[in-house]
Amino acid sequence: MSYAQLQLKNQLCHRLYMASNSIARTYRPLLADINLTYPQYVVMMALWEEDKITIAALIEKTAIDGSALTQILKKMTDKALLMVIKDESDKRKRLIQLTKQGQSLKQQASDIPNKIQCKFNSIDSTQAEQLMHLLDLVVHDLNNEELNMLDIEE
Amino acid sequence: MSYAQLQLKNQLCHRLYMASNSIARTYRPLLADINLTYPQYVVMMALWEEDKITIAALIEKTAIDGSALTQILKKMTDKALLMVIKDESDKRKRLIQLTKQGQSLKQQASDIPNKIQCKFNSIDSTQAEQLMHLLDLVVHDLNNEELNMLDIEE
DNA sequence: ACATTTTAATTTGCATGCAAAGTATTTGCA
DNA sequence: TGCAAATACTTTGCATGCAAATTAAAATGT
């Protein structure tokens, strides 16, 4: 009975770990068809929604780590999906802009959400929304915790 | 209105991506205190539950990728947390056994679940269970999908 | 104006996660 | 018996995720 909390089967975190990996594994072959990794796909989605934004805005929108993003953008530039442009009004900033090819990839990617959705057989849309809501709470709590700690230190 | 499914804010997968990363980031400093990474901690939890199991069993229990696990076990061996022993009855297999230090680390880790739980302020235990259940469904669906494909190919 | 601080990105080093290929062993079967 | 097929791992190569240190440029304070 002791240490019950240390049991893997009771841990929310381990569930998240497994689910996140499962999803990434599921996306990989689909994204390979259009020569993207999952984080790169996330970057593309962000840019398809709003093009020519700063790296900071991209970090905010995608939740991809900044230092990782630098490398990712480098590879995507090599693939001619986007360009990293200096912002002349503030030379610290960089603007990310899709190329024609980057823009046209949107059509080829348009069926991916459906293909993914088809794999969820035991979850209806209500449960999916519930799940998204709960995950938002998790993220909010964990990110807020960091803010709280900053408050305390001040 | 078009391409609504391609919007990040509507994607369950992106939520999972963010939540999983948030959790890992939250664990990191706590686990650093006992010199473990999150996957290493998962391995320890599995072994605290049941010691001297095969690598295959460890993969089954932890859901850590086999090739990654090989490397992880190597590092944990270097830290004298465990030993990788050849199974004499079947020389393909390896048995993983905790060292004294590995066993005693359990006490030092016993407060980590509570410390993590404390960070979840907006989620009660009912919601946590709900969340775990939904994540189980996700994992089940995505892993089953692979099985289904195997069925088809046969 | 000018030094200090803050911002925005990049670089570096380490630890996975994963697909694909490779290496022993053991099983299964003709 | 002997060899192909299945097992159980390991190795390799590539792409992150992240903390910490660095670099460059803009904002602030005096």
Side-chain angles (χ1 to χ4, degrees), chain B residues 87-147:
Chain B
D87 182 337
E88 288 304 325
S89 72
D90 184 339
K91 291 179 181 170
R92 290 170 305 181
K93 298 182 181 175
R94 300 279 185 282
L95 293 171
I96 310 301
Q97 185 164 30
L98 289 174
T99 61
K100 284 282 177 200
Q101 296 161 64
Q103 286 165 20
S104 68
L105 196 64
K106 184 174 182 176
Q107 293 182 330
Q108 296 170 59
S110 62
D111 59 336
I112 289 182
N114 273 326
K115 285 185 181 170
I116 293 290
Q117 210 151 34
C118 286
K119 297 185 190 286
F120 292 110
N121 296 310
S122 26
I123 296 181
D124 60 35
S125 62
T126 305
Q127 287 175 310
E129 288 204 22
Q130 217 176 84
L131 181 45
M132 286 201 280
H133 173 62
L134 290 170
L135 292 174
D136 283 342
L137 293 181
V138 167
V139 172
H140 175 268
D141 276 355
L142 298 183
N143 290 177
N144 251 32
E145 178 64 25
E146 292 163 25
L147 295 178

Side-chain angles (χ1 to χ4, degrees), chain A residues 2 7 9 22-23 38 53 85 111 118:
Chain A
S2 64
Q7 284 182 31
K9 66 178 168 62
S22 285
I23 292 245
Y38 184 70
I53 60 178
I85 307 162
D111 58 338
C118 286

Side-chain angles (χ1 to χ4, degrees), chain A residues 3 5-8 13-15 17 22 49 62 64 106 114 117 120-122 130 136 141 143, chain B residues 3 5 7-8 14-15 17 22 27 45 49 62 64 106 114 117 120-122 130 136 141 143:
Chain A
Y3 298 110
Q5 286 182 119
L6 272 178
Q7 284 182 31
L8 279 175
C13 305
H14 190 236
R15 294 292 204 301
Y17 168 85
S22 285
E49 282 182 35
T62 63
I64 294 175
K106 184 174 181 176
N114 273 327
Q117 210 150 34
F120 292 110
N121 297 311
S122 27
Q130 220 175 82
D136 283 343
D141 275 355
N143 291 178
Chain B
Y3 299 109
Q5 286 181 119
Q7 284 183 33
L8 279 175
H14 190 236
R15 295 291 206 300
Y17 169 84
S22 284
Y27 266 104
M45 282 194 287
E49 283 181 35
T62 62
I64 294 175
K106 184 174 182 176
N114 273 326
Q117 210 151 34
F120 292 110
N121 296 310
S122 26
Q130 217 176 84
D136 283 342
D141 276 355
N143 290 177

Side-chain angles (χ1 to χ4, degrees), chain A residues 101-130:
Chain A
Q101 296 161 63
Q103 286 166 20
S104 69
L105 196 64
K106 184 174 181 176
Q107 292 182 330
Q108 297 171 57
S110 61
D111 58 338
I112 290 182
N114 273 327
K115 285 185 181 171
I116 293 291
Q117 210 150 34
C118 286
K119 298 185 191 285
F120 292 110
N121 297 311
S122 27
I123 297 181
D124 60 35
S125 63
T126 305
Q127 286 175 311
E129 288 204 22
Q130 220 175 82

Side-chain angles (χ1 to χ4, degrees), chain A residues 81-97:
Chain A
L81 293 172
L82 50 78
M83 295 174 296
V84 180
I85 307 162
K86 265 183 192 153
D87 181 338
E88 287 306 325
S89 71
D90 184 338
K91 292 179 183 171
R92 291 170 303 181
K93 298 183 181 175
R94 301 279 185 283
L95 294 171
I96 311 301
Q97 185 164 30

